């Protein structure tokens, strides 16, 4: 049932791919960029201003040339300055102007001398017969009358013409009656210093040019939109979909009761998502290994506790039927030894759980392993009894003997190793502790050794001694004082610090191995500040 629920949740996540927040953000931001491009291309404000200024400059240059030609060919100054209108119209009629440019010549009183729009249209005029004037009803003034009335009153038609009549040159833009943007330039036609007319050039093709520019950019805008959509889809497929798959797989593991996350497709990727998938697999794998280890530990603890409990129950039941005081004392001794064994087991189990939690939760910091070993050896030497083996550090420690880890658990490792070595050493023997720095291709490593003078380790048990609850005490050792967890705890802590631990024999005699050496290998850390 849980598996079916997980499968349904996974399918729902896949169907909702395009509704994911990351996918929406990808599309939104890509669309915003596309809209910025589109609006900027359509407005073309900067291009329009540059185009208008270029038009003004071109019309000014063209108008100045025409005004100079008119001043040379169509003005006289004797006896008074005068603009020869017919000759000026003829001159302007011969000009080859662009079809989008309109040229007009005004006299100083506002009369239109020539207009390029009607320059080629000739109207034949005949004087009408004389008609007796009579009063007529006032007629409505048309648009031309309203525009020319200011000049008839002695005022210029526009500000441009006013500036031109004053001898200046000016240009600007306006919107025509047809709604078109018109760029115009007005210049004076002068004979020496006298202004005899105003030449106006107009161009109404600015909007047409801008429209053509917009139309020419449409293929690029469409292409940019297509690329943006394609890029958004690709990002959604390569980012949003794998992340959704990771979340779906995690939910499936949680709801199905599994412990390991398997992501074959995502973990093969050569990018950050692949790194994330591999990290999740390693994390769930480590959690699964820890769960399996806890299950095995619980089974081992149950087995180890049952043995003394069974012995105690048997001794108690037997003691009820025994009347011999000596036999009862022996049974009480067995019960006492089993209670001590239970106490030792519970103490070591509690210590193991506490160290595991401390190692998993605590942060790592540089630890001077040389100083730590010297202090531990000095403490054992100061507190050693006469019938116990002494502890000696073979020094001095190498410089820069730093490891990244936790000082408390690391100290517990070497205390467990030293306690184990002392339990196998004869009275008056010496446990030697050493530390060396080894350079290898894979980095700098610190080798810490603990050697004893005991009987050594059988070759078949060199790896077995690190298993939980394994004990192989020498003859005469007190029963129940060793739970078999010391070396197992040491290996657990060392492996948590990315190191390894192993055992080897120092020498060989005819009767068997002589002396044991326990070796701890830890990766060295660089000194702080280097």
């Amino acid at each position: 049932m849980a598996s079916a629920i997980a499968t349904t949740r996974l399918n729902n996540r896949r169907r909702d791919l395009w509704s994911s927040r990351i996918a929406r953000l990808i599309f939104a931001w890509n669309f915003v960029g596309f809209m910025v491009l589109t609006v900027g291309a359509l407005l073309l404000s900067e291009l329009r201003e540059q185009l208008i200024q270029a038009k003004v400059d071109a019309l000014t240059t063209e108008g100045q040339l025409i005004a100079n030609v008119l001043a040379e060919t169509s003005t006289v100054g004797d006896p008074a300055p005068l603009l020869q209108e017919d000759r000026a119209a003829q001159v302007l009629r011969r000009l080859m102007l662009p079809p989008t440019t309109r040229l007009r010549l005004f006299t100083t009183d506002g009369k239109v001398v020539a207009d390029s729009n009607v320059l080629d249209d000739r109207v034949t005029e005949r004087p009408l017969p004389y008609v007796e004037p009579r009063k007529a009803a006032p007629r409505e003034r048309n648009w031309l009358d309203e525009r020319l009335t200011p000049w008839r009153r002695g005022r210029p038609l526009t500000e441009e013409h006013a500036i031109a009549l004053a001898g200046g040159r000016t240009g600007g833009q306006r919107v025509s009656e047809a709604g078109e943007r018109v760029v115009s330039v007005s210049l004076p036609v002068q004979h020496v210093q006298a202004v005899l007319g105003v030449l106006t050039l107009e161009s109404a093709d600015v909007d047409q040019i801008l429209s053509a520019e917009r139309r020419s950019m449409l293929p690029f805008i469409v292409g940019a939109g297509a690329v943006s959509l394609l890029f958004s889809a690709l990002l959604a497929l390569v980012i949003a979909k794998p992340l959704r798959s990771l979340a779906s797989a995690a939910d499936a593991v949680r709801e199905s009761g599994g412990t390991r996350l398997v992501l074959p497709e995502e973990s093969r990727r050569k990018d950050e998502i692949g790194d994330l998938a591999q990290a999740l697999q390693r994390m769930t794998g480590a959690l699964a290994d820890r769960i399996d280890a806890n299950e095995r530990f619980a089974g081992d603890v149950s087995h180890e506790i049952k043995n003394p409990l069974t012995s105690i129950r048997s001794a108690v039941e037997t003691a009820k039927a025994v009347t011999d005081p000596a036999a009862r004392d022996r049974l009480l001794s067995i019960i006492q030894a089993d209670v001590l064994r239970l106490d030792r087991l519970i103490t070591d189990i509690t210590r193991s759980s506490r160290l595991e939690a401390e190692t998993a939760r605590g942060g790592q910091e540089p630890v001077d392993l040389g100083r730590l070993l010297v202090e531990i050896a000095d403490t054992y030497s100061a507190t050693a009894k006469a019938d116990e083996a002494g502890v000696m550090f073979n020094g001095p420690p190498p410089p820069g003997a730093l490891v990244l880890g936790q000082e408390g658990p690391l100290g517990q490792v070497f205390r467990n190793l030293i306690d184990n070595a002392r339990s196998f050493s004869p009275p008056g023997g010496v446990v030697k502790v050493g530390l060396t720095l080894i350079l290898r291709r894979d980095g700098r490593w610190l080798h810490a050794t603990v050697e004893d003078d005991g009987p050594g380790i059988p070759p078949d048990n060199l790896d077995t001694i690190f298993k939980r609850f394994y004990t192989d005490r020498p003859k005469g050792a007190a029963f129940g004082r060793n739970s078999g967890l010391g070396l197992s705890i040491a290996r657990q802590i060392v492996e948590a610090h990315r190191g390894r631990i192993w055992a080897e024999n120092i020498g060989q005699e005819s009767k068997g191995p002589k002396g044991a050496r326990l070796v701890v290998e830890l990766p060295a850390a660089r000194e702080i500040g280097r």
Side-chain angles (χ1 to χ4, degrees), residues 70-82:
L70 292 176
E72 292 293 334
T73 62
S74 304
T75 62
V76 296
D78 187 19
L82 177 65

Side-chain angles (χ1 to χ4, degrees), residues 254-432:
R254 176 177 58 84
E255 294 178 357
S256 64
T259 56
R260 295 183 185 273
L261 187 65
V262 180
L263 301 166
E265 296 182 2
E266 287 75 11
S267 60
R268 286 195 296 265
R269 294 175 53 135
K270 304 300 182 181
D271 55 10
E272 287 76 6
I273 293 180
D275 295 340
L276 175 61
Q278 295 175 11
L280 289 175
Q281 289 185 153
R282 290 193 297 268
M283 181 187 70
T284 56
L287 291 176
D289 292 340
R290 184 170 296 177
I291 292 173
D292 295 340
N294 288 336
E295 291 177 353
R296 291 193 300 270
F297 182 69
D300 294 341
V301 168
S302 175
H303 176 73
E304 290 296 323
I305 290 179
K306 281 183 179 179
N307 288 335
L309 286 177
T310 301
S311 176
I312 291 174
R313 182 176 58 185
S314 177
V316 170
E317 291 176 354
T318 305
K320 293 179 180 179
V322 172
T323 58
D324 184 10
R328 181 171 295 180
D329 290 340
R330 285 196 300 272
L331 291 174
L332 290 176
S333 299
I334 294 174
I335 294 174
Q336 183 179 9
D338 287 334
V339 169
L340 291 176
R341 183 181 178 188
L342 281 174
D343 180 69
R344 181 67 179 180
L345 280 172
I346 294 173
T347 301
D348 287 346
I349 290 170
T350 303
R351 181 184 301 172
S352 175
S353 300
R354 178 178 58 80
L355 288 174
E356 181 180 4
E358 183 179 352
T359 305
R361 297 174 184 174
Q364 293 186 341
E365 59 184 11
V367 177
D368 190 342
L369 191 60
R371 176 191 56 81
L372 179 64
L373 293 179
V374 170
E375 291 179 354
I376 292 176
D378 291 343
T379 301
Y380 274 98
S381 298
T383 59
K385 297 179 181 179
D387 58 343
E388 295 179 340
V391 179
M392 180 184 68
F393 182 82
N394 292 328
L402 299 177
V403 295
L404 282 178
Q406 298 170 297
E407 185 170 343
L410 287 175
Q412 186 64 47
V413 168
F414 293 102
R415 281 190 289 270
N416 287 357
L417 298 184
I418 293 173
D419 288 340
N420 181 81
R422 295 179 72 193
S423 66
F424 284 95
S425 296
V430 178
V431 174
K432 300 177 182 179

Side-chain angles (χ1 to χ4, degrees), residues 63-75 91-92 95 189:
Q64 187 62 53
L65 292 174
I66 297 173
N68 293 338
V69 171
L70 292 176
E72 292 293 334
T73 62
S74 304
T75 62
V91 171
L92 295 179
L95 296 176
V189 178

Side-chain angles (χ1 to χ4, degrees), residues 439-487:
L439 300 179
R440 295 202 308 245
R441 291 183 178 180
D442 57 347
R444 304 163 68 246
W445 294 85
L446 289 171
H447 278 208
T449 58
V450 177
E451 301 176 353
D452 60 51
D453 297 331
I457 305 172
D460 295 339
N461 294 340
L462 289 176
D463 185 64
T464 309
I465 62 174
F466 294 102
K467 293 183 179 180
R468 290 193 184 102
F469 304 111
Y470 174 82
T471 57
D472 187 10
R473 295 289 98 193
K475 295 180 180 181
F479 181 77
R481 292 187 179 181
N482 296 278
S483 63
L485 285 175
L487 296 183

Side-chain angles (χ1 to χ4, degrees), residues 50-107:
Q50 294 177 357
L51 180 60
I52 291 173
Q53 185 60 42
K55 275 290 182 182
V56 170
D57 296 340
L59 291 177
T60 300
T61 302
E62 186 177 3
Q64 187 62 53
L65 292 174
I66 297 173
N68 293 338
V69 171
L70 292 176
E72 292 293 334
T73 62
S74 304
T75 62
V76 296
D78 187 19
L82 177 65
L83 175 65
Q84 296 176 338
E85 298 178 8
D86 293 339
R87 188 172 181 81
Q90 292 177 2
V91 171
L92 295 179
R93 191 179 296 117
R94 296 185 185 133
L95 296 176
M96 299 296 293
L97 296 175
T100 57
T101 302
R102 182 182 183 184
L103 185 147
R104 287 183 293 173
L105 178 62
F106 298 93
T107 61

